[in-house]
Amino acid sequence: MVNQEKVKLMSRLASYEKRAKSDMDTMSYFRGDYVSYKSFLLMLGVSFSLLCFFFADFGGKFFDDMQMFIEYDFVAQGTEYLTIWLIFMVAYGLIGSVIYRKRYNDSKRRIDIYQKMLRDLKRM
């Protein structure tokens, strides 16, 4: 006869395996490595976006008044851009590390449940 509990457990395991690809990928990293790597990618994207914004702002000032551009204070503008960039890096670094740490812990929790179900299936 077919054990109904075993069939139910196997169907739950199969449904989890269909959607667990991202959890398996996440668990291939150590927590610190995962958080650092994902935060680095986030900060790299933010840096690229800010660089595009700075070039657009700089180009707008250049084409707005070319006569005054020669007398423009590049050091002050560079300092302003650097300050904005540092603020964004600190903010996004902290936010990213919190978010990716939570994602890692959630994946770990789901993988632990999955492994517990596998152990239960093995005992049956």
Side-chain angles (χ1 to χ4, degrees):
M1 241 330 55
V2 176
N3 186 351
Q4 291 293 337
E5 290 299 317
K6 195 172 189 178
V7 171
K8 287 179 185 178
L9 188 57
M10 288 172 64
S11 64
R12 278 190 280 166
L13 284 167
S15 68
Y16 177 78
E17 286 173 356
K18 283 184 180 178
R19 63 182 193 279
K21 176 99 172 85
S22 65
D23 288 342
M24 298 294 183
D25 291 341
T26 301
M27 288 293 104
S28 66
Y29 294 98
F30 291 113
R31 180 178 34 214
D33 294 341
Y34 177 77
V35 171
S36 299
Y37 176 67
K38 292 295 187 173
S39 295
F40 172 74
L41 290 180
L42 176 70
M43 291 170 43
L44 188 65
V46 170
S47 294
F48 179 74
S49 300
L50 283 174
L51 186 64
C52 291
F53 172 75
F54 293 154
F55 277 135
D57 183 45
F58 190 71
K61 290 177 181 174
F62 176 74
F63 290 117
D64 189 33
D65 191 8
M66 290 182 154
Q67 296 295 337
M68 295 296 292
F69 191 73
I70 296 170
E71 301 166 2
Y72 193 69
D73 189 11
F74 292 105
V75 174
Q77 190 66 41
T79 305
E80 180 182 337
Y81 288 162
L82 184 63
T83 304
I84 292 170
W85 180 78
L86 285 173
I87 290 170
F88 271 82
M89 288 300 101
V90 169
Y92 275 94
L94 291 174
I95 291 169
S97 65
V98 167
I99 289 171
Y100 290 120
R101 188 171 289 124
K102 182 181 180 332
R103 284 186 186 175
Y104 186 89
N105 289 337
D106 290 345
S107 292
K108 180 156 178 51
R109 182 184 49 80
R110 287 189 296 266
I111 291 291
D112 288 344
I113 291 170
Y114 174 72
Q115 289 175 345
K116 182 187 177 297
M117 286 191 298
L118 282 176
R119 283 191 301 271
D120 291 346
L121 180 65
K122 189 176 180 181
R123 285 187 200 130
M124 290 184 170

